[in-house]
Amino acid sequence: QVQLLESGGGLVQAGGSLRLSCAASGRTFSNFGMGWFRQGPGKEREFVATIMWSWTGERTFYADSVKGRFTISSDNAKNTVYLQMNSLKPEDTALYYCAARFGTGLSVTHDEYPYWGQGTQVTVSS
């Protein structure tokens, strides 16, 4: 099984930056992906970003709402994925979840991610 531990959330002013980390433990292999989802107050859980490793290489994909502001990256030696969040807006306020899956392609669907962290709170003040 894969266990995920998130960190890096906190309170930040609008326009500021935060970096979230997600450390994965357990067995992984090349057809492995990790993603970030978030759930704001009174809102449904939504996709944020994902990174996938396969024989074709590394691929990333972002939600339109964060594209150009957020960057997903990884440190393979540490089995850790990061979400660098810049130019934060109050509407980015949410509980951010790290998720992982085994598969051959990118996924933006939370049902396709069987492994989840407990979430880390990001609050952006105006």
Side-chain angles (χ1 to χ4, degrees):
Q1 299 296 108
V2 177
Q3 293 179 299
L4 305 174
L5 180 61
E6 299 140 318
S7 63
L11 176 64
V12 66
Q13 293 181 331
S17 299
L18 283 174
R19 189 180 75 163
L20 306 184
S21 299
C22 179
S25 62
R27 191 171 186 84
T28 62
F29 67 105
S30 61
N31 293 326
F32 182 74
M34 297 181 68
W36 291 95
F37 294 79
R38 67 186 183 186
Q39 187 166 10
K43 298 181 179 180
E44 298 292 326
R45 180 169 46 181
E46 66 174 350
F47 166 78
V48 176
T50 185
I51 185 167
M52 169 67 71
W53 299 270
S54 69
W55 71 270
T56 60
E58 180 183 287
R59 295 193 294 164
T60 59
F61 186 74
Y62 299 89
D64 289 341
S65 59
V66 306
K67 190 175 181 64
R69 299 188 298 120
F70 291 9
T71 302
I72 188 168
S73 62
S74 67
D75 183 337
N76 292 332
K78 297 181 178 180
N79 229 23
T80 300
V81 165
Y82 305 96
L83 184 68
Q84 178 66 46
M85 305 184 294
N86 298 326
S87 302
L88 283 162
K89 306 173 181 179
E91 50 263 45
D92 295 318
T93 295
L95 186 64
Y96 283 71
Y97 295 94
C98 177
R101 64 184 290 267
F102 295 101
T104 57
L106 293 167
S107 176
V108 302
T109 304
H110 61 80
D111 286 347
E112 296 180 359
Y113 289 80
Y115 307 105
W116 291 84
Q118 295 300 306
T120 184
Q121 179 67 40
V122 172
T123 302
V124 184
S125 64
S126 60

